Amino acid sequence: MEKMTGSEILMKSLVEEGVTTIFGHPGGAILHAYDVLIDYPIKHVLCRHEQVATHAAEGYYKTTGKPGTVMVTSGPGATNCVTAITDALMDSMAIVVLTGQVPTAVMGCDAFQEADVVGTTRACTKHNFLAQRAEDIPRIIKEAYYIARSGRPGPVLVDLPKDALMGHGTFQGYPKDVSIRGYNPQLYGHPSQIKKAVELIAQAKRPVIYGGGGIIHSDASEELHEMIDITQIPTTLTLMGLGALPTNHPLWLGMLGMHGTYWANMCMVHCDLMIAIGSRFDDRITGKVSEFGKQCKIIHVDIDPTSIRKNVNVDVPVVGDVKCVLRELNKKLRNVRRNWAKDFEEWYAEIEACKIQHPLRYEQREGVIKPQYAIDMILRLTEEYDPIVSTGVGQHQMWAAQVYRGRMPRRWLTSGGLGTMGYGFPAALGAQAAFPDSLVVNIDGDGSFQMTMQDLCTLLEYELPVKTFIINNKYLGMVRQWQQLFYGQRYSQVNIDHQPDFVKLAEAFGITGIRIERPEEVKAGIEKAISTPGPVVVDVVVDREENCFPMIPAGAAIKDIIDVGEPIPDKLFQGWR
């Protein structure tokens, strides 16, 4: 058996685990691990802020399906990750965060750059470990990655004291198997529950499928597609589920929720059966919970038993991996003798009428760029490249979600549960590191981008050609919209008119900057950004006070959704239907 330092054991374990890329930032307590890292075949992306490194790991996971890895130092290095770790927990992102820690002898003594990271992150990780001995590291790393990616995916943190990294231990090989007492994610749904679900689906007259991010995490898009092909049930997806079904599918209803399509939300109000798959009944979906789903039966498929009946009572819960459950459901649904499409003709007609009466729309006049127009054009002009699209958080995020033209899963990156401003740019960085030859588009807000923009230099250093489009209204736009609609137009601390010149900023980092200020410049500016080699920042100056509709006011029932204001004359209509 071989004697090695804890750092060598750590790196050897990571290689055995299949880790090829780490996002991170070094510091004193993790210094020895960084010294050893040089000798191992692992690419390290030096981010300028630990939050960026952690969001980048989220982007890496979402696009590859493999856990993202982060390595940072103790104290502030570790605490800077906390926002992104929480984001990963809310959105079920499998990442493993390796944090340095002060030597065990001085832990609890307020040592320099000491923070109780295990205690701090206990509530925002799926699990965390303190590795006190070099010999423990292989088992802990094996368990950390297993926990991160299995069951409902999530963030796992491994705290590594300096003496455990520098001390020597016997490396007895990397474990091949994992056995964790009390942790056995249930993959297969109970047969009797699946039978009940099939019976409900077979009897439904106005059903709707409501899919969430669990479909993406489970790689179950094919099974979802098959279920829709068999049953011909109209399908809507959550913000996190976008991409699970091609947006050109005839039964695709668009996104539902607070800023989802009017007709998708009305389907939730008027259906007689709701089939929730890999979704968690977030309050942005349900609106007023006491009014949600009162008129229908509900089937809920989810691998996380704690999500079942957490927010909404359901009639048939099916605990299991979405892919496994859908395969079983599809087997049985194929045996149901029914003319599905004919039986749903009346239901289809109602939905179609609602689409015509309440389309997504905007009015693009001369002079000022409407943000919807800019985002629509970005997605139209990049569609042929099958881009990976990330967003920040705010109005631009919701507009991008409404008009998203995804055809494949794992192409859409956004922060849903925590709603983390500053997410889009680092997530795009992580995705581009995973797929250096793909087109990665970051649609950001001026407020959101300013939270993590310091890592523009990371793009340049690692030749990551991310195209960032800043939808710049010089406001914290979504907050301003709420203040306008619900606080009597009293705008408080939302004006960010004083901001950097984003073109000069990009150029200061050695990156191409482009500004688009007029509607007639939009198409050419986007095409120039796409064709320019390397990373590009595009400052798109848009209408300052445009609002994002439809909108379900916070705490209101879905039926109280606010549609766009006055009807737009047909001759001015330039939106999408």
Side-chain angles (χ1 to χ4, degrees), residues 55 90 113 171 244 250 257 272 356 370 381 390 404 409 446 492 503 511 543 549 551:
H55 284 315
M90 295 285 280
Q113 291 197 330
F171 181 61
D272 66 352
I356 293 170
K370 287 291 181 184
L381 294 173
S390 71
Y404 181 62
D446 47 322
S492 177
V503 173
I511 290 172
D543 186 348
F549 291 114
M551 178 181 187

Side-chain angles (χ1 to χ4, degrees), residues 199-506:
E199 287 171 356
L200 280 185
I201 295 170
Q203 295 164 9
K205 295 179 179 175
R206 304 158 67 86
V208 63
I209 294 173
Y210 141 48
I215 300 168
I216 307 281
H217 297 310
S218 180
D219 288 323
S221 297
E222 189 178 326
E223 285 74 13
L224 173 70
H225 210 139
E226 185 181 352
M227 185 181 188
I228 297 167
D229 285 346
I230 295 169
T231 63
Q232 298 296 300
I233 296 176
T235 300
T236 179
L237 297 171
T238 67
L239 179 69
M240 302 310 295
L242 293 179
L245 183 70
T247 53
N248 61 355
H249 192 286
L251 291 170
W252 159 243
L253 297 172
M255 182 181 73
L256 80 163
M258 180 174 274
H259 291 285
T261 61
Y262 191 95
W263 57 90
N265 281 300
M266 286 304 105
C267 281
M268 303 297 275
V269 173
H270 298 295
C271 67
D272 66 352
L273 176 66
M274 191 183 299
I275 308 165
I277 303 172
S279 49
R280 60 189 176 87
F281 296 94
D282 178 81
D283 62 285
R284 288 296 192 264
I285 299 297
T286 63
K288 188 177 181 181
V289 177
S290 61
E291 296 291 319
F292 182 81
K294 286 167 56 178
Q295 81 293 344
C296 67
K297 300 283 186 183
I298 301 178
I299 298 168
H300 188 190
V301 179
D302 203 293
I303 196 166
D304 180 4
T306 68
S307 286
I308 303 288
R309 294 183 174 136
K310 184 175 184 178
N311 299 323
V312 170
N313 191 35
V314 300
D315 298 279
V316 179
V318 185
V319 177
D321 175 72
V322 167
K323 192 180 189 80
C324 296
V325 172
L326 287 186
R327 282 180 174 173
E328 287 303 308
L329 278 173
N330 289 340
K331 273 185 198 172
K332 293 188 168 23
L333 286 168
R334 278 194 217 99
N335 296 325
V336 175
R337 297 196 176 281
R338 182 178 185 185
N339 189 336
W340 300 88
K342 185 169 178 54
D343 289 352
F344 298 151
E345 280 180 353
E346 192 176 321
W347 182 222
Y348 295 154
E350 281 185 44
I351 296 170
E352 197 57 33
C354 190
K355 278 185 184 178
I356 293 170
Q357 195 172 356
H358 301 275
L360 289 170
R361 53 188 173 179
Y362 59 88
E363 182 183 358
Q364 177 57 68
R365 292 178 175 171
E366 292 182 0
V368 180
I369 301 170
K370 287 291 181 184
Q372 302 97 316
Y373 174 65
I375 292 169
D376 191 17
M377 289 298 288
I378 292 166
L379 294 173
R380 283 180 191 274
L381 294 173
T382 58
E383 191 175 6
E384 64 180 288
Y385 302 97
D386 187 21
I388 295 168
V389 178
S390 71
T391 78
V393 166
Q395 287 177 311
H396 68 279
Q397 176 193 28
M398 294 296 110
W399 282 315
Q402 288 175 343
V403 72
Y404 181 62
R405 290 181 161 74
R407 302 283 186 266
M408 298 284 289
R410 298 195 180 281
R411 300 285 198 279
W412 169 255
L413 313 175
T414 197
S415 173
L418 196 62
T420 309
M421 288 180 67
Y423 170 89
F425 175 59
L429 187 158
Q432 190 79 81
F435 296 98
D437 297 326
S438 295
L439 176 63
V440 179
V441 173
N442 172 38
I443 298 173
D444 225 326
D446 47 322
S448 200
F449 182 64
Q450 288 186 66
M451 290 201 169
T452 48
M453 65 185 182
Q454 76 283 340
D455 267 76
L456 282 171
C457 51
T458 308
L459 297 185
L460 197 67
E461 181 175 351
Y462 294 96
E463 300 179 344
L464 303 174
V466 173
K467 314 300 183 190
T468 288
F469 295 89
I470 303 169
I471 308 303
N472 187 354
N473 58 11
K474 300 181 181 179
Y475 269 134
L476 300 177
M478 189 60 88
V479 184
R480 183 208 58 74
Q481 177 171 334
W482 280 49
Q483 289 177 343
Q484 178 189 344
L485 297 176
F486 309 120
Y487 290 85
Q489 212 163 348
R490 285 160 53 86
Y491 293 171
S492 177
Q493 304 302 313
V494 291
N495 187 345
I496 52 172
D497 192 23
H498 292 283
Q499 57 185 208
D501 181 324
F502 290 115
V503 173
K504 289 182 179 176
L505 178 80

Side-chain angles (χ1 to χ4, degrees), residues 32-87:
H32 194 260
Y34 267 90
D35 179 63
V36 172
L37 173 64
I38 295 172
D39 300 323
Y40 284 81
I42 299 175
K43 178 183 177 182
H44 183 271
V45 178
L46 173 60
C47 300
R48 273 36 172 188
H49 195 287
E50 292 87 350
Q51 181 184 354
V52 167
T54 315
H55 284 315
E58 288 186 86
Y60 182 91
Y61 164 69
K62 184 69 182 284
T63 51
T64 64
K66 300 174 185 174
T69 304
V70 184
M71 189 161 73
V72 298
T73 193
S74 64
T79 57
N80 277 345
C81 299
V82 170
T83 296
I85 291 173
T86 310
D87 188 274

